[in-house]
């Protein structure tokens, strides 16, 4: 799986802290090590919250892409 071909994508737009992080955690737990998850969020706090969660839990943040209102995170499960 690559950043351009994630194993799973979730859309958490319209949800606010802590829900985007909680949904990210649930989906990462369902993936196998090495698989990639894409998350689309629109809560401005998500950039810091999800980035911090990824680092704290030992996964790899492959990309954060920002468009007008949306943030797209690409995370690789590391453990």
């Amino acid at each position: 799986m690559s950043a351009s071909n994630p194993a799973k994508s979730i859309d958490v737009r319209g949800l606010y802290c802590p829900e985007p992080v909680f949904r990210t955690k649930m989906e990462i737990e369902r993936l196998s090590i090495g698989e990639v998850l894409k998350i689309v969020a629109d809560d401005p706090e998500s950039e810091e919250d999800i980035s911090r969660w990824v680092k704290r839990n030992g996964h790899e943040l492959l990309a954060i892409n920002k468009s007008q209102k949306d943030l797209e995170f690409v995370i690789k499960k590391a453990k």
Side-chain angles (χ1 to χ4, degrees):
M1 302 295 140
S2 68
S4 60
N5 187 23
K8 175 87 178 174
S9 296
I10 59 171
D11 185 340
V12 295
R13 288 178 286 197
L15 301 175
Y16 297 93
C17 185
E19 199 64 28
V21 173
F22 180 69
R23 301 264 177 113
T24 298
K25 176 185 182 297
M26 287 177 53
E27 292 302 329
I28 281 283
E29 287 175 353
R30 294 180 177 140
L31 297 180
S32 298
I33 292 172
E35 287 188 312
V36 174
L37 173 66
K38 181 173 94 173
I39 303 106
V40 179
D42 61 357
D43 177 5
E45 300 298 315
S46 291
E47 183 172 5
E48 184 177 333
D49 295 344
I50 291 176
S51 297
R52 187 183 308 132
W53 180 86
V54 168
K55 185 176 182 179
R56 186 173 54 234
N57 287 279
H59 302 298
E60 184 179 351
L61 184 59
L62 300 176
I64 298 177
N65 301 308
K66 299 178 188 179
S67 61
Q68 292 177 344
K69 294 179 184 172
D70 294 339
L71 294 163
E72 180 184 283
F73 301 87
V74 181
I75 302 168
K76 183 177 182 180
K77 183 172 181 170
K79 61 179 189 172

